[in-house]
Amino acid sequence: MGAPSGPRREFAYRVRELTARGDRIVAFRDVTESRRHQRRLAAIASAAGRVAAKRSLSSTLDALAKEVLEADALAGVQIVTVNVTRERFQLMGTAGFGQAAGFFDLLVECLDAGADLRMIDAFTSRRPVVVPHRYEMIMSDPAWKPLQDYMRHPEWDWFASVPLMVRGEPVGILNAFYAPGQEIGSTALDFLLAMAEQAAQAVHYAALLEREREVARREERQRLARDLHDSVVQQVFSMGMQVKSLAMLSGRDTVVDSAYVMRVAEELGHISKAVLGDLRAMVTDLHPTALADQGLPAALAALAESTMGRTGFDVRVSISDPRDELDDLETELREDVYRVIAEALHNSVKHSHGSRVTITVGVTGRGAQRRLTAEVADDGRGMPARTADPPADDGGFGMTAMRERAGRWAGELTTSSDPAGGTVVRLVLPLPAALPAAPPTAVARRPTAHERLSERLRTP
């Protein structure tokens, strides 16, 4: 026998003795609203804590969606975000519904068929939208057929869409699907607005973090400028002085000692080799061209070749990416992975006293279980026991920067060391489920689902 239909209620009860014979009376009290209020307050507090915990945006919004779902026993929740130019939309948080391959492609098919997408109204008007009995409308409307299977289970009834607002501008939408028997009153809507505010704060925090990263890039370039002045410029100055001394000797019409000339030539050779090595290292650090033009595997291959050319280390790169997913990742994520690997390789070359480094990168799992794993292993003497796998606030600037890059994507960075077997730096990053929107391979390219949806959202 299935569960009874109708609104869900919660009751508290109290038992009292009536007579000496053991007769009792049980009094019930409806505590549905008070318990729901407690859960809402707890959800808001938990959401605020998650935003302050500096987790990745996707994992934060996914957790917020679950908080909303559980606090009010909803059927489903979606959190959709938009970039600053309103050109790309992503389903960043979801709870209740399953995975829908090509969700935005199906959504645009519904729009093209004439479906009324109320979350667009919430986004463009910057005001909440509440629609009673929305489930019945969607399931009976042929325009919604592409998404009906996805939205059919779990069953729901009322619908609300609330914009995520940052400084008066919408940055996303929170969609709430209420279970049969639930209605959206002022208290329920206030709760959605509070949770939407927390989600908007998470989006705003992610934008601020990106600005901080841009500042960090500028500071890195300033550091490289200082390094150029402190090393390359000084070395070139030394070369100039050596050449000037030879010119002065040869200008006196005297015989120059050949041993002195050989010594100066040898010094010039050593200095020029050091200058070339420093310049190559700085160019690689400043901008991994292959990363932008050819992708992460090519950038790592170039990094290995450059390192071998200037250090004599044997650097091997192994890539396991059977579905070619690495270069579909966000540019910022790929750059952070590259920087972590480059820093770990630099540490091995500088400190390991070994001769070989192996870089291994791969993507495993599917859907919400995808992981990117990268390892940098050397054959050196290892680190002292007290510094192996140092805490987050230890390990110097390089290790701190590596951990910050990993933490930016809710990832984990660990080190292990064995005096007999060298050091291994391991990076593990959870990857968001992909929403493919690839254009067809036609001569005249058809706009992608994201582009068509963006155009709808830009139109009042």
Side-chain angles (χ1 to χ4, degrees):
M1 183 176 179
S5 60
R8 175 185 170 186
R9 312 298 298 178
E10 298 179 56
F11 293 89
Y13 68 91
R14 178 177 297 176
V15 180
R16 290 175 52 190
E17 295 282 349
L18 286 181
T19 66
R21 294 181 302 175
D23 294 333
R24 299 176 181 178
I25 185 172
V26 181
F28 290 89
R29 180 167 55 94
D30 189 337
V31 295
T32 304
E33 288 304 319
S34 62
R35 294 286 175 83
R36 186 173 294 165
H37 181 65
Q38 292 173 5
R39 288 195 298 269
R40 287 168 176 165
L41 292 177
I44 294 171
S46 177
R50 291 183 189 279
V51 172
K54 301 183 181 181
R55 301 178 62 183
S56 72
L57 181 60
S58 59
S59 62
T60 298
L61 295 185
D62 206 48
L64 290 185
K66 290 180 174 62
E67 296 279 3
V68 177
L69 182 88
E70 294 172 0
D72 268 7
L74 303 186
V77 176
Q78 296 172 336
I79 300 179
V80 177
T81 62
V82 61
N83 65 359
V84 293
T85 60
R86 302 188 182 187
E87 294 177 350
R88 181 175 176 83
F89 295 83
Q90 300 179 89
L91 185 61
M92 295 292 286
T94 183
F97 295 112
Q99 295 290 332
F103 174 81
F104 282 107
D105 288 321
L106 299 176
L107 191 61
V108 171
E109 287 185 32
C110 295
L111 282 168
D112 290 342
D116 181 19
L117 191 59
R118 299 308 305 273
M119 78 173 188
I120 291 184
D121 297 337
F123 186 88
T124 55
S125 70
R126 297 167 169 80
R127 297 173 62 86
V129 171
V130 176
V131 186
H133 313 303
R134 179 70 166 161
Y135 179 85
E136 183 179 346
M137 297 177 193
I138 288 180
M139 293 306 156
S140 61
D141 186 350
W144 281 96
K145 185 176 180 181
L147 273 174
Q148 283 175 349
D149 287 341
Y150 169 71
M151 303 185 72
R152 191 180 306 277
H153 301 290
E155 189 176 352
W156 51 279
D157 188 13
W158 283 44
F159 169 78
S161 186
V162 178
L164 313 184
M165 304 295 295
V166 173
R167 296 180 179 177
E169 291 297 322
V171 296
I173 313 119
L174 187 154
N175 295 326
F177 303 81
Y178 283 73
Q182 293 179 322
E183 296 184 357
I184 305 174
S186 60
T187 304
L189 189 57
D190 286 344
F191 170 63
L192 289 183
L193 289 168
M195 294 301 285
E197 183 177 354
Q198 295 300 328
Q201 288 298 320
V203 175
H204 182 51
Y205 175 81
L208 291 177
L209 186 60
E210 178 56 31
R211 292 177 193 170
E212 290 177 2
R213 295 182 66 200
E214 183 58 35
V215 171
R217 293 187 187 103
R218 290 198 296 268
E219 291 177 348
E220 178 67 11
R221 281 157 175 75
Q222 291 172 355
R223 182 189 67 82
L224 287 170
R226 289 194 300 270
D227 288 348
L228 278 169
H229 179 269
D230 294 342
S231 61
V232 175
V233 172
Q234 297 298 328
Q235 290 166 336
V236 171
F237 177 77
S238 177
M239 292 173 66
M241 293 299 294
Q242 298 279 24
V243 171
K244 188 175 181 179
S245 68
L246 282 178
M248 290 178 62
L249 286 175
S250 61
R252 294 174 180 173
D253 296 328
T254 58
V255 177
V256 181
D257 182 37
S258 61
Y260 175 75
V261 173
M262 289 293 295
R263 186 168 67 253
V264 172
E266 187 175 350
E267 274 190 48
L268 288 173
H270 286 312
I271 295 173
S272 64
K273 185 177 180 180
V275 169
L276 184 60
D278 286 344
L279 286 174
R280 283 175 173 169
M282 290 177 187
V283 169
T284 301
D285 285 343
L286 182 62
H287 181 67
T289 304
L291 180 60
D293 298 340
Q294 302 173 32
L296 183 60
L300 293 177
L303 176 65
E305 183 177 355
S306 171
T307 303
M308 286 190 291
R310 62 186 174 82
T311 67
F313 265 69
D314 180 15
V315 182
R316 307 291 177 89
V317 179
S318 175
I319 304 292
S320 176
D321 186 23
R323 293 188 293 273
D324 297 324
E325 297 177 86
L326 284 175
D327 291 330
D328 290 334
L329 302 176
E330 297 178 52
T331 302
E332 292 82 359
L333 188 150
R334 283 187 285 139
E335 182 175 343
D336 277 340
V337 172
Y338 175 89
R339 297 295 183 186
V340 168
I341 292 173
E343 181 66 26
L345 176 60
H346 172 76
N347 289 342
S348 291
V349 169
K350 187 174 181 180
H351 303 296
S352 72
H353 297 275
S355 60
R356 186 177 67 253
V357 180
T358 301
I359 300 171
T360 306
V361 181
V363 177
T364 60
R366 284 181 176 272
Q369 303 300 318
R370 291 196 309 157
R371 297 286 186 274
L372 184 149
T373 303
E375 285 189 356
V376 179
D378 63 54
D379 65 344
R381 64 186 184 184
M383 296 183 295
R386 63 182 179 85
T387 61
D389 201 12
D393 58 352
D394 195 9
F397 174 79
M399 183 61 70
T400 300
M402 292 162 69
R403 292 187 185 278
E404 288 178 352
R405 291 184 188 275
R408 191 172 293 145
W409 306 98
E412 184 179 34
L413 184 79
T414 59
T415 61
S416 58
S417 187
D418 183 350
T423 299
V424 177
V425 177
R426 179 178 173 84
L427 172 69
V428 179
L429 299 181
L431 300 178
L435 292 172
T441 55
V443 175
R445 186 177 75 84
R446 179 173 178 264
T448 67
H450 288 293
E451 291 168 345
R452 286 184 284 153
L453 180 58
S454 300
E455 182 60 32
R456 295 291 185 112
L457 283 164
R458 284 196 295 266
T459 303

